[in-house]
Amino acid sequence: MLRTFFRTEAGSTSALLVATVLALIWANSPWADTYEAFWHTPMGLSFGTAEFSLDLRHWVNDGLMTLFFFVIGLEISYEVRLGQLRDRRLIAVPALAALGGMLVPAGIYLLLNAGGPGAAGWGVPIATDTAFVLGVLAVVGARCPDPLRAFLLTLAIVDDVLAILIIALFYTSELSVPALLTAALLLAAIVTLRRLRIWRAPAYIVLGFGLWLATLESGIHPTLVGIALGVLVFVYAPSDQKLLLAGEAVHEFTNEPSARAAREATLRVRHAVSVNERLQLRLHPWSSYVIVPVFALANAGVRLDGETLRAALTSPVSWGVVAGLLLGKFAGIALGTWLPLRLKWGILPGNLVWGQLFGGAAVSGIGFTVALFIVDLAFDDPVIRAEAKIGILAGSLLAAAMGWVIFRMAWDRGGVCAPPEAEPDEELPELLSVPVGPRDHIRGRADAPITIVQYGDFECPYCGRLHPVLTRLLRDNPDVRLVFRHFPLRTIHPRAASAAIVAEAAGDRGRFWEMHDVLYDNQRSLSDADLERHAARLGVEPWEDVPRHASRIALDEASGRESGVRGTPTLFLNGVRYQGPLDEDAIGRAIAELRPSPQPS
C-alpha cells in the first residue's frame, strides 16, 4: 500500500505543478480579470422553490476537497489498522515530529504578526504538502531510502489530521445548532448502518451527501466530514477463508467458464479485499491527478506585478509564512524527532541517520494544498490573501532547495553505507581474508595482474555512484579485473538481499554481470515485482534455487566480516584494503602505484 501511495503521489506532482503554473499565468495574463470572474461563477441545485448554490471556487474548496480528505481518512484508517501506524514505537517519533513541525512554524508566524491584521493566518505555514514532498524525494532518488519516505508519510498523515482539527476548531464560522444536530443524526445513521453491516452504496452516498450539506450549513468546514467518513470505512486483512473461497471460485471459472462462474469469481475476489483498499485504489488517482490540481488552479492564481511583489517584500504576513515554512518546519521537525529518540519513546524505521532526517525535515517545509486552503479561510482581504500566497510559493521553493542541498551534502560528505552496529573507530584488518577463487564473479581478464575486490550492496547509493567509476576504470585499464562479492546491509536496505539472490540466479545462466549492471542502473526499482521484470528481460528465473543462492551470498558476507568489512562499498586492491576517496582519479592513482616501475634500459 505504501509503495502504491508513493508512486501515485510522486507521479501527481507534475499535474499539480502544471496546474499551479497555469493559475499563475492566467492570473498574470492580459485576461487576468477573467480568473476571479470565472471562479466566482455561481452554480447550484434547485428543487421546486428550494435552491442551493455556491460559486465554482467554493464547490472546489468545500466539495471536491471533501473527497480529497475522504481519501486521507481512508489512508489513516488503513495505516492505523494494517500499515505503518500499527507499531506505536514507529508512530511516536513522526507523530511528535509532526506536532513540532506545526507548533514552531505557528509560533514564528505569530512572532511577526501577533496583534496585526494577519494574525489569523498562523495556521498557513503549519501543513506539509505530501504530493510535492514526495515529488522532490523522487528527484532526490537513491539518496532518500524508502524508510525515510515511510517516516515522512507517517508524519504527513499526522500532519493532515492535526491540520483538519485546527481548521475545525479555529477556522469555523458561527455555528448553526439545528444544522449541527442534523449532521450529528446523519453521522449516527451512517455509524448504525456500519455496525449492522449493511453495505448498500446508494444509502451511504445519500446519507454522506446529506451530512456534507448539513455540516456546510452548520458553519463547520465540511472537509471534516471527509476525514470522518474515510476513517469509518471498514479495513481488514484478507482472511484465509475468504482467500480460499476466492481461489475456489476462480478455479471453478477456469475449469468451466460461464457468466455465472465469472460473476461468482468476481464477487469472491472483490470481497477478499477490504472496501477501504478498493476505494483507495479507485479514488486515490482521482484525488491526486484531478482534485488537487483543480484546487491549485482555483486557488494558486495570484498577481505577481511589481506593486504586489513590493508589498509582499515588506509584509509580515509573507515573511511569517516564509519563515514558518523554511525555518519553523525544519526546526520543529528536527526537535520533534530528537526529543522522543532522546527519551526513548520510539524508534525510527530502517535505522535512518540524521543527514536523511534533516533533508526530510527541510522538504517538509513545502506547504501548498492545505496552506492555500487555510488562506481562503483565514483572510477576507484580497491583498492579505495575495501576500500569504506569495509567501507560500516563496517558502515552498526555498524549502525544496534547502532539502535538495542537505541531501546532496549529507551524501557527498561520506561514501559508505554502514549498519548501526558499525564502529567508526574500530581497527579493521588490512588484508583480504579469503583470496579470489573460482567461485568468485570476475569481470575482466582472468590473468590480470591487478585485482579489485568490491564488497557491494545493490541498494546502496554509494555503490550505485561507484558503479560507473569502476566501469570506466576497467575500460581504460585492461590489466585490471573486478571481483564483486555480496554484502547486503539488510537493516538499512531491505531489498538488497533479494536483489543479490536474483543476481546469483542470473549467474547460473552466465549473465551475472548483465544483471549486476541492470540492478545498479535501476536502484529505485528493486521490489519483488521489479526484480521479476528485470529477470524476465534477461531470460532468468529469479527465485529458482533460492536456498543455494542465499548460502552463496552468506559465504561472501562471512568473508567480508573476516576481512573487516563494515559498510559498502569496501574495496581491496590486490588483497589490501583501499582507504582513499571513491572517485575515478583517486582509485586510478592507487591502481597505478600497483604497477611495477619500468626498468631502465
Side-chain angles (χ1 to χ4, degrees):
M1 185 62 68
L2 280 181
R3 289 186 66 81
T4 303
F5 181 91
F6 294 150
R7 204 176 297 118
T8 304
E9 286 294 324
S12 68
T13 306
S14 298
L16 181 54
L17 186 60
V18 168
T20 303
V21 171
L22 286 175
L24 290 170
I25 291 173
W26 188 359
N28 291 275
S29 70
W31 307 278
D33 293 342
T34 65
Y35 179 79
E36 288 296 330
F38 175 77
W39 292 111
H40 280 98
T41 302
M43 186 175 73
L45 303 170
S46 62
F47 301 94
T49 58
E51 186 176 343
F52 177 78
S53 179
L54 296 172
D55 65 24
L56 286 178
R57 179 171 287 150
H58 279 90
W59 275 113
V60 171
N61 294 357
D62 298 344
L64 288 181
M65 289 301 286
T66 300
L67 291 176
F68 167 78
F69 285 107
F70 175 72
V71 174
I72 289 177
L74 293 173
E75 291 159 3
I76 292 169
S77 180
Y78 179 89
E79 294 301 329
V80 167
R81 290 175 174 83
L82 301 177
Q84 182 76 18
L85 302 183
R86 282 183 304 169
D87 190 337
R88 293 183 180 180
R89 297 175 305 160
L90 291 174
I91 297 174
V93 180
L96 288 172
L99 183 61
M102 301 183 90
L103 293 177
V104 177
I108 289 176
Y109 181 91
L110 286 174
L111 283 176
L112 297 175
N113 289 278
W122 60 269
V124 174
I126 64 172
T128 294
D129 191 285
T130 309
F132 268 135
V133 168
L134 293 180
V136 171
L137 295 183
V139 174
V140 169
R143 288 183 171 86
C144 175
D146 272 353
L148 179 59
R149 286 173 166 79
F151 175 84
L152 291 178
L153 175 58
T154 307
L155 185 152
I157 289 172
V158 176
D159 185 283
D160 286 333
V161 172
L162 294 175
I164 284 295
L165 291 175
I166 286 171
I167 290 170
L169 294 174
F170 298 100
Y171 292 98
T172 294
S173 57
E174 295 182 3
L175 293 177
S176 167
V177 176
L180 198 58
L181 289 174
T182 303
L185 289 172
L186 289 168
L187 183 60
I190 292 172
V191 172
T192 301
L193 287 179
R194 182 181 184 273
R195 287 186 175 179
L196 294 175
R197 297 182 177 273
I198 297 174
W199 313 121
R200 292 292 181 268
Y204 284 95
I205 291 171
V206 171
L207 289 173
F209 183 68
L211 177 59
W212 177 80
L213 284 174
T215 307
L216 183 65
E217 292 297 322
S218 73
I220 295 176
H221 203 276
T223 49
L224 191 62
V225 170
I227 286 280
L229 293 179
V231 169
L232 286 174
V233 174
F234 262 117
V235 59
Y236 51 80
S239 66
D240 292 341
Q241 181 184 11
K242 288 185 177 181
L243 291 175
L244 180 62
L245 290 172
E248 289 175 351
V250 171
H251 181 70
E252 180 184 349
F253 172 74
T254 304
N255 289 335
E256 297 181 18
S258 67
R260 184 204 59 79
R263 179 177 177 274
E264 184 67 17
T266 301
L267 289 174
R268 293 292 186 186
V269 170
R270 182 184 300 141
H271 290 158
V273 181
S274 70
V275 179
N276 179 294
E277 294 174 86
R278 298 203 301 270
L279 285 174
Q280 283 199 62
L281 184 66
R282 291 182 180 180
L283 296 180
H284 201 168
W286 283 97
S287 170
S288 297
Y289 289 103
V290 178
I291 294 175
V292 173
V294 168
F295 171 83
L297 186 63
N299 291 273
V302 58
R303 192 77 176 170
L304 297 178
D305 55 20
E307 181 181 348
T308 305
L309 292 175
R310 279 193 297 272
L313 284 173
T314 58
S315 167
V317 172
S318 297
W319 283 108
V321 173
V322 170
L325 291 174
L326 185 65
L327 304 177
K329 275 288 184 182
F330 179 82
I333 291 174
L335 180 62
T337 303
W338 174 82
L339 185 63
L341 290 176
R342 178 74 174 177
L343 298 176
K344 300 188 184 303
W345 290 348
I347 59 175
L348 292 172
N351 299 294
L352 296 172
V353 297
W354 278 107
Q356 298 164 336
L357 290 167
F358 284 149
V363 297
S364 295
I366 302 174
F368 194 77
T369 306
V370 177
L372 289 174
F373 193 72
I374 294 177
V375 165
D376 186 64
L377 300 175
F379 303 121
D380 294 323
D381 187 339
V383 174
I384 299 180
R385 277 188 182 179
E387 292 170 354
K389 290 179 181 180
I390 290 173
I392 292 169
L393 294 173
S396 297
L397 286 171
L398 290 171
M402 183 169 76
W404 185 85
V405 169
I406 290 174
F407 277 118
R408 187 84 182 177
M409 291 176 63
W411 264 252
D412 287 350
R413 285 177 63 85
V416 176
C417 286
E421 64 270 16
E423 296 291 340
D425 299 325
E426 180 183 2
E427 188 173 339
L428 301 173
E430 291 292 318
L431 301 179
L432 187 68
S433 65
V434 178
V436 175
R439 71 175 183 82
D440 278 304
H441 299 293
I442 301 174
R443 172 175 267 181
R445 283 170 36 200
D447 61 345
I450 299 173
T451 300
I452 300 174
V453 175
Q454 176 193 359
Y455 284 90
D457 170 314
F458 287 114
E459 202 175 353
C460 165
Y462 306 116
C463 296
R465 299 222 310 268
L466 181 63
H467 168 58
V469 170
L470 294 178
T471 301
R472 289 192 296 270
L473 285 170
L474 289 181
R475 182 194 63 202
D476 297 338
N477 298 274
D479 59 344
V480 176
R481 63 178 182 168
L482 172 65
V483 174
F484 184 89
R485 290 180 177 175
H486 302 285
F487 202 80
L489 300 176
R490 302 164 197 270
T491 57
I492 300 177
H493 303 139
R495 295 191 296 271
S498 297
I501 286 171
V502 172
E504 285 301 312
D508 288 347
R509 303 285 198 278
R511 311 193 75 170
F512 173 84
W513 289 105
E514 289 177 77
M515 181 61 75
H516 168 279
D517 295 345
V518 168
L519 294 175
Y520 274 130
D521 290 340
N522 296 275
Q523 279 195 307
R524 295 297 309 139
S525 302
L526 296 179
S527 68
D528 286 350
D530 294 325
L531 293 173
E532 289 168 5
R533 189 174 67 254
H534 301 326
R537 284 171 51 193
L538 298 183
V540 171
E541 173 51 55
W543 313 124
E544 191 175 62
D545 209 354
V546 170
R548 180 170 60 86
H549 296 148
S551 176
R552 164 73 173 74
I553 293 163
L555 290 175
D556 279 359
E557 293 178 277
S559 75
R561 284 190 290 271
E562 290 174 13
S563 304
V565 176
R566 298 295 182 267
T568 56
T570 296
L571 303 182
F572 291 85
L573 271 60
N574 278 359
V576 179
R577 177 185 295 275
Y578 171 75
Q579 302 188 55
L582 296 174
D583 61 72
E584 191 169 348
D585 291 339
I587 299 175
R589 287 193 297 271
I591 290 172
E593 291 173 2
L594 295 175
R595 296 189 177 105
S597 301
Q599 298 296 322
S601 55

